[in-house]
Amino acid sequence: MKKKFFTLAALSLCMTLAVAQTINLPAPNKSKKTATVMEALATRHSERSFSAQKLTDQELSDLLWAACGKNREDGKLTAPTAMNRQEIRVFVFTDDKVSEYLPQTNQLQQVATGDHRAIVAGRQEAVKTAPVMLVLVADMDKFKSNDQRAQTMVSVDAGIVCQNVNIYCEAVGLVTVPRATMDHDAIRKLLGLNENQIPLLNNPVGYKAK
């Protein structure tokens, strides 16, 4: 009986450590050759079909930095937020894990194992083949207010992060689509969110299906 208890305890510890894993991403390549902003705006469009080709760690790092990465020594980000609250949290869903992007250190903090892209796809199953799905969560606790004005401002802030993703993808040859559809309750449960942490938008990201 004692042996069984220690075996279960060891298994539980291993699972906890696996979920707590922090991954260092490569430094974002800020000199990457891309389309110009005007060119990206001229061709920007939404895609809902994705190839199976995965993003490299470098591509993922560049994508997340463009979305809301640290771009100044004072800790401010590529995406502005009201009063610099930095309340928009980005969660990365792939085929084997879910992680939160930590912009100040350019790291991924794993929060769950397994493929959970279906709960982000929700009713629109076609997009669940995207190799990366970014979920934008407004953390009202970080915003330090939850009134109507605050909810409006965090929605604007999430939209800015989403647009960063849209323009970046167009500039580098990736495809995406901004979405609000997702299984909000399942995402809250998976990520361990409280009632003040609200999934607002998501962006499936990948290469266009051929």
Side-chain angles (χ1 to χ4, degrees):
M1 184 71 178
K2 184 181 291 186
K3 182 177 180 181
K4 182 178 181 181
F5 172 80
F6 282 117
T7 300
L8 290 173
L11 180 60
S12 176
L13 177 61
C14 288
M15 292 176 65
T16 300
L17 290 173
V19 170
Q21 182 180 4
T22 300
I23 300 170
N24 295 315
L25 291 168
N29 181 3
K30 300 173 189 176
S31 60
K32 175 186 293 188
K33 300 299 182 183
T34 71
T36 67
V37 172
M38 296 302 281
E39 289 168 341
L41 288 169
T43 58
R44 193 223 62 80
H45 66 289
S46 296
E47 288 282 352
R48 293 172 176 80
S49 298
F50 302 86
S51 79
Q53 182 179 345
K54 293 185 178 182
L55 272 63
T56 66
D57 288 347
Q58 185 66 64
E59 289 173 324
L60 183 58
S61 177
D62 295 347
L63 168 67
L64 293 170
W65 182 82
C68 67
K70 175 183 171 183
N71 70 346
R72 281 160 282 180
E73 289 302 317
D74 62 5
K76 292 183 180 179
L77 309 178
T78 58
T81 54
M83 299 174 287
N84 194 36
R85 296 297 191 195
Q86 300 186 12
E87 81 285 359
I88 305 303
R89 299 165 63 185
V90 179
F91 290 86
V92 183
F93 286 63
T94 62
D95 64 354
D96 62 348
K97 61 182 172 290
V98 179
S99 306
E100 180 174 4
Y101 178 56
L102 307 178
Q104 295 300 328
T105 56
N106 199 47
Q107 294 176 310
L108 289 176
Q109 177 71 58
Q110 189 169 314
V111 297
T113 57
D115 186 351
H116 301 277
R117 291 174 295 173
I119 64 175
V120 183
R123 300 187 303 272
Q124 299 174 356
E125 290 199 3
V127 301
K128 74 179 181 181
T129 59
V132 170
M133 303 186 87
L134 305 181
V135 174
L136 311 185
V137 172
D139 193 334
M140 307 305 294
D141 290 334
K142 293 181 69 175
F143 199 80
K144 300 180 182 178
S145 177
N146 199 17
D147 60 18
Q148 185 61 51
R149 175 65 174 170
Q151 292 181 30
T152 298
M153 292 312 301
V154 301
S155 297
V156 171
D157 291 346
I160 293 170
V161 175
C162 179
Q163 185 69 332
N164 280 5
V165 173
N166 297 335
I167 299 304
Y168 173 80
C169 286
E170 192 66 36
V172 300
L174 296 170
V175 295
T176 189
V177 55
R179 307 171 65 248
T181 296
M182 53 186 141
D183 189 335
H184 292 76
D185 290 339
I187 288 172
R188 284 179 183 274
K189 183 176 180 180
L190 177 69
L191 302 182
L193 303 178
N194 65 38
E195 62 183 7
N196 287 326
Q197 296 162 337
I198 309 166
L200 288 181
L201 295 168
N202 68 81
N203 276 82
V205 177
Y207 285 93
K208 185 177 179 179
K210 297 179 180 179

